[in-house]
Amino acid sequence: MRFGLRMLQGAFAGRVLGLAQNQTVIMGRGSDTSVRLPDMSLSRRHCQLTNTPRGLLIADLGSSNGTYLNGNRLPQGWHQVRPGDRVSLGNCEFLAFDYDAQQPVASSGVHRGPQQQPPGGSGVHRHQPPPQPGGSGSHHQQAPGGSGVHRQQPQHAGAAGDSSQNNLGVDADRFEGFVLQRKLGQGAFGEVFQAVETAQNRVVALKVVNAQLVRNPKDIQRFLREAETGQSLNHPNILKIYSAGESRGAYYIAMEYIPGKEVSELLRAYGRLDVGYVLRLAIQLASGLQHAYENGIVHRDIKPDNVMVLQHPQHGAVAKLVDFGLAKCFTEDDGGGLTEQGEGMGTLAYMPPEQLDDALNADQRSDIYSLGATIFHMLSGQRPFAEKTTRSFIKKILQSPPPSLCSLNPQVPLELDEIIQRAMSKSPEDRYQTPQELQDDLLELFRRLAAEHASRSGGG
């Protein structure tokens, strides 16, 4: 069954979004979403919908202001959307209907206001997570424009020869130099494939955007900028970008295939992470940021969603910084023209004060703040600020220090709390001035804690 979503309120009121079987869309205000909505009350990646054999399911992606189904704010997890239901996010409201019937019919028990309760129950239909995408035990694949990093395990040898059986929807050899093996995800503007780069005989993630489906030319420019930025960086803690190109009206980026998990997924599974584990990841991420800084690159969107972790057989947990779609080169005066003066950019929960309305002038100290906020979330299991409205969120970011980590997690040493407080100082001048400075303090603390642990265990 195909589903339709008719926008009742919002910038595109009256338009209809159709979701075919097994199609997934991510809504939000960010350029890395499938359906981009010009609404500042939305998070960059606000919610996700997927049309599964079990029906249309929706999940909030940890948005600041929440996603509402029939007037009820959705808790974590997947929930079923039925014809006649209303989905609200920010100032946008959608009516779900049977697309094949072509006529949306509103149910009599539907209410618009977030506080109103529909008769006969909560109006929220709980549902077990679907086989794809997202949810516990599943393999969420981001739509093109996101990080392009994939958590499914690579296929065994010979998989390339089975591509005709994997419902690719396109010719396996559509992109010269690559053999598509299977589709990993689909969005409104394109798809993500697992592919083999024949010249190098390696498995890659191939992120594809159909230029004819992108309305804002800046989205294509940012897509190409992501490839250009990624190719200029070579560091073990940064996702590798191999190449980019165009074929038959579609742009693509070939990138490192990572069989790992996003930090955000680990947080959903475990609540908060072990102090020693977080320190290991934080040291690696600071090292990656130092490399970007030395090459004139500011990421501008560091958050748990943009950090992948994989288990290396020799080195243990390895952190990878991904998604440079919002990055800028601070050696260019105008940022390539993709960011306007006075424009805010990033993800609000991890955004430093200066980036709220002036992302053009963000520098490495802005990334240090966002990394500090990400470490805070890993250690505490919650964001530094968790306000219900955008206005109160911004006020907290501008005026209030984050809570003490020690009060939220007694296992966090006071020294680590102080490091994060400094990294998240309101004024860039009060923060660490380079990622290397932050890495040095983290590494010194890690070594001291390791020595103390060894001494208590009788190893020293």
Side-chain angles (χ1 to χ4, degrees):
M1 174 180 175
R2 292 187 298 173
F3 278 87
L5 292 172
R6 182 181 300 280
M7 180 173 265
L8 303 177
Q9 296 181 21
F12 305 120
R15 296 188 182 179
V16 171
L17 170 68
L19 283 89
Q21 188 73 49
N22 296 321
Q23 184 177 357
T24 293
V25 297
I26 295 177
M27 293 184 175
R29 63 179 175 85
S31 60
D32 59 346
T33 54
S34 311
V35 179
R36 188 179 187 185
L37 301 169
D39 183 346
M40 287 305 295
S41 64
L42 299 180
S43 296
R44 286 193 59 247
R45 292 166 59 83
H46 198 98
C47 69
Q48 178 178 335
L49 295 107
T50 181
N51 187 4
T52 77
R54 301 177 182 177
L56 181 61
L57 303 181
I58 186 170
D60 184 82
L61 298 178
S63 66
S64 301
N65 296 327
T67 302
Y68 293 81
L69 180 60
N70 295 330
N72 293 272
R73 185 164 182 164
L74 294 177
Q76 183 176 345
W78 289 96
H79 308 275
Q80 191 164 21
V81 180
R82 297 190 175 101
D85 285 349
R86 295 191 187 225
V87 175
S88 303
L89 49 152
N91 298 314
C92 304
E93 185 176 34
F94 297 86
L95 173 64
F97 64 96
D98 183 343
Y99 193 87
D100 295 318
Q102 297 296 321
Q103 182 62 42
V105 179
S107 65
S108 59
V110 169
H111 298 267
R112 295 189 182 189
Q115 286 75 38
Q116 291 178 317
Q117 188 82 357
S122 67
V124 177
H125 310 292
R126 298 184 183 275
H127 204 287
Q128 292 299 317
Q132 79 292 331
S136 177
S138 65
H139 302 285
H140 174 98
Q141 300 301 337
Q142 294 192 4
S147 69
V149 182
H150 314 290
R151 302 199 288 269
Q152 293 180 345
Q153 294 296 324
Q155 293 181 342
H156 298 292
D162 298 330
S163 60
S164 61
Q165 303 175 13
N166 288 327
N167 299 319
L168 289 172
V170 297
D171 295 336
D173 58 352
R174 174 180 178 179
F175 299 95
E176 184 177 357
F178 300 91
V179 177
L180 305 184
Q181 292 185 316
R182 56 174 172 158
K183 183 185 292 187
L184 300 174
Q186 179 173 335
F189 301 143
E191 298 134 321
V192 181
F193 298 95
Q194 178 180 306
V196 172
E197 186 176 8
T198 53
Q200 302 294 329
N201 192 29
R202 63 186 171 195
V203 177
V204 301
L206 198 69
K207 182 162 64 173
V208 179
V209 168
N210 189 335
Q212 297 176 345
L213 299 179
V214 179
R215 294 177 181 173
N216 189 344
K218 282 191 175 182
D219 290 336
I220 288 293
Q221 296 177 49
R222 284 197 171 103
F223 183 79
L224 297 176
R225 170 62 65 86
E226 178 184 1
E228 179 183 349
T229 301
Q231 286 178 282
S232 69
L233 300 174
N234 183 19
H235 190 276
N237 300 116
I238 295 177
L239 175 76
K240 294 179 182 177
I241 302 293
Y242 298 129
S243 62
E246 185 271 338
S247 176
R248 304 180 192 175
Y251 294 90
Y252 67 86
I253 299 177
M255 60 188 70
E256 180 181 6
Y257 182 100
I258 300 179
K261 294 185 178 182
E262 295 173 358
V263 163
S264 56
E265 186 179 8
L266 296 177
L267 290 170
R268 285 192 294 270
Y270 302 108
R272 65 189 185 199
L273 307 180
D274 177 77
V275 172
Y277 184 81
V278 172
L279 274 172
R280 288 178 183 271
L281 300 184
I283 291 166
Q284 296 175 46
L285 293 170
S287 177
L289 275 185
Q290 179 65 22
H291 176 75
Y293 164 63
E294 291 171 354
N295 284 272
I297 302 297
V298 182
H299 188 282
R300 296 198 295 188
D301 197 22
I302 299 168
K303 57 184 178 180
D305 285 340
N306 286 340
V307 177
M308 296 286 293
V309 181
L310 67 153
Q311 287 299 126
H312 191 279
Q314 282 81 41
H315 305 299
V318 176
K320 294 270 188 177
L321 187 60
V322 306
D323 193 353
F324 280 77
L326 296 184
K328 78 152 192 171
C329 179
F330 58 72
T331 59
E332 298 178 6
D333 292 336
D334 64 351
L338 298 181
T339 308
E340 302 293 338
Q341 186 75 40
E343 179 182 2
M345 185 175 291
T347 301
L348 192 59
Y350 310 95
M351 197 185 300
E354 71 273 11
Q355 202 169 315
L356 290 171
D357 58 4
D358 194 12
L360 181 61
N361 292 316
D363 60 21
Q364 77 280 358
R365 297 170 298 180
S366 304
D367 278 352
I368 289 171
Y369 178 101
S370 298
L371 178 56
T374 299
I375 298 171
F376 183 102
H377 194 166
M378 287 192 281
L379 290 168
S380 67
Q382 65 184 53
R383 297 166 175 170
F385 307 107
E387 300 302 301
K388 294 182 179 180
T389 67
T390 302
R391 177 176 297 180
S392 60
F393 221 130
I394 291 175
K395 183 178 180 180
K396 284 281 190 180
I397 293 173
L398 291 174
Q399 300 179 4
S400 302
S404 167
L405 275 169
C406 295
S407 66
L408 299 174
N409 182 356
Q411 296 180 350
V412 174
L414 177 60
E415 297 94 322
L416 182 53
D417 193 349
E418 293 172 345
I419 288 173
I420 301 307
Q421 291 287 339
R422 179 181 175 188
M424 295 185 63
S425 296
K426 301 301 179 187
S427 171
E429 288 74 20
D430 294 333
R431 298 175 202 151
Y432 294 96
Q433 297 301 290
T434 67
Q436 184 65 57
E437 292 180 10
L438 172 59
Q439 183 189 9
D440 289 344
D441 275 5
L442 291 170
L443 187 57
E444 180 180 354
L445 175 60
F446 179 81
R447 287 171 173 166
R448 184 176 66 76
L449 294 176
E452 290 177 358
H453 176 76
S455 178
R456 288 195 302 270
S457 302

